[in-house]
Every structure is written in C-alpha cells, then in structure tokens.
Amino acid sequence: DHIHAIAKQKAAGKTGFIVTNPNCSTTGLVVPLKAIDDKFGIEEIVVFTMQAVSGAGYPGVASMDILDNVIPYIDGEEPKVEKETRKILGALGEAGFVDKRIRVSAHTNRVAVLDGHTICVSIRLRNKAGPAEVKEALRTYVSDAQRLGLPSAPEVPMRVTELQNRPQPRLDR
C-alpha cells in the first residue's frame, strides 16, 4: 500500500521520489504485528526492545559502558518505534499516510550482544484469540514480498518456534 506514495510524489510534479526504511527494531516488529492485526485486530501494543551494540553504529557504545551492563534508554528510539509502527501498519490516504489507530508504548534498551536485536511484545487484541490461534496466524501469514515473488524475499516471512528459551541472538542469527 505504501509503495503508492511514489506515484503521489510524481503526480505532485516531483522528478524523483523518496523511499525510506524504518528503524531497525520497527522492521522486525511490524511483520508479525501485521499478521496478527489482519487476523484478530490490534488495539494496543507494549514493546520492549533489547538492542545489540551493533545497532548504535560505528564506533558504537564504549565497551566500558556496555560490558556487564544494560543501558535502559536509547535516546530518540522510543518515539521512532511508536510512530513508525503506527505508520507502517496504517494506510496511504488521499492526503498522505494515515496512521493505524492503535496505542503503542515502546521501551528501548541497549544490551551487551554483538548483533541481533530481541523484542518482547504484549498485545491487546480486538478479537479474542488463544496462543495456538496466534501462532497459526503467524505461521500461515504471506507478506506482500512473498505474494509478489520478490527475489530478495525469504521463503517465509517469519519462523515460529515452540522452544521457550528462544530466540537467542547468539544461537539464532
């Protein structure tokens, strides 16, 4: 849906167009949320991110600040995750993007992991569903990238595991 913003930009007399990518945590968050929202509807999301040191860019977080430590706030990240999640799950209207009408509360943390962010999410659904139904919605979801057969698209958009000690960045990269 959002790709149609390019045509709107060109129709406005622009010779080029701008396509941006979202915050790294938002990218990993919205695909499963889309699957759940399509099936059950979402009213509210509470997101807790544990972001690897690689997410801070080069040269990253000073080693003495992160070793044996968690940094409980990443400046500017929480509003980005909240805003971008509503925007991506929203739609493109006549006047521009229309955010999804859901409450999003994000809490971002930097952790002593080299690469691989982890996200914990609590979701209030519009329509009641149990864990088995949510897992099935995630397993059977087909994203636009798969539907269009894009060469860079993974075979399935996400993996669902029954292992309670997963995901772990070191084991599941």
Side-chain angles (χ1 to χ4, degrees):
D1 185 37
H2 289 57
I3 198 74
H4 300 296
I6 293 172
K8 285 185 170 280
Q9 291 177 37
K10 287 186 174 184
K14 308 291 183 193
T15 57
F17 55 87
I18 298 173
V19 177
T20 62
N21 58 322
N23 174 280
C24 51
S25 293
T26 304
T27 302
L29 174 65
V30 295
V31 174
L33 288 180
K34 175 73 170 135
I36 294 167
D37 189 45
D38 284 356
K39 190 80 170 175
F40 309 107
I42 293 176
E43 291 182 354
E44 182 176 10
I45 306 160
V46 178
V47 181
F48 175 87
T49 69
M50 294 165 276
Q51 298 185 29
V53 293
S54 62
Y58 188 82
V61 181
S63 63
M64 293 305 290
D65 289 342
I66 196 65
L67 290 176
D68 193 33
N69 198 16
V70 170
I71 299 172
Y73 175 75
I74 304 171
D75 190 36
E77 288 283 295
E78 293 168 1
K80 282 194 284 189
V81 171
E82 293 169 357
K83 180 179 180 176
E84 292 174 357
T85 298
R86 286 190 295 269
K87 182 177 183 177
I88 292 169
L89 292 176
L92 182 63
E94 287 300 317
F97 292 106
V98 179
D99 288 352
K100 180 85 173 171
R101 294 181 55 93
I102 56 174
R103 289 182 298 279
V104 180
S105 177
H107 311 276
T108 59
N109 303 267
R110 186 76 62 206
V111 296
V113 172
L114 181 59
D115 58 65
H117 296 357
T118 303
I119 304 171
C120 298
V121 185
S122 293
I123 305 169
R124 180 177 296 148
L125 300 175
R126 187 165 290 115
N127 301 303
K128 188 175 180 177
E133 294 168 291
V134 172
K135 289 176 190 176
E136 183 63 17
L138 295 171
R139 283 188 180 103
T140 59
Y141 177 70
V142 178
S143 73
D144 288 342
Q146 279 77 37
R147 201 171 359 274
L148 293 170
L150 299 179
S152 61
E155 188 175 314
V156 293
M158 64 195 111
R159 290 178 286 161
V160 178
T161 180
E162 299 295 327
L163 299 173
Q164 293 184 11
N165 67 342
R166 290 313 217 308
Q168 294 183 33
R170 181 177 289 165
L171 300 177
D172 299 317
R173 289 187 179 115

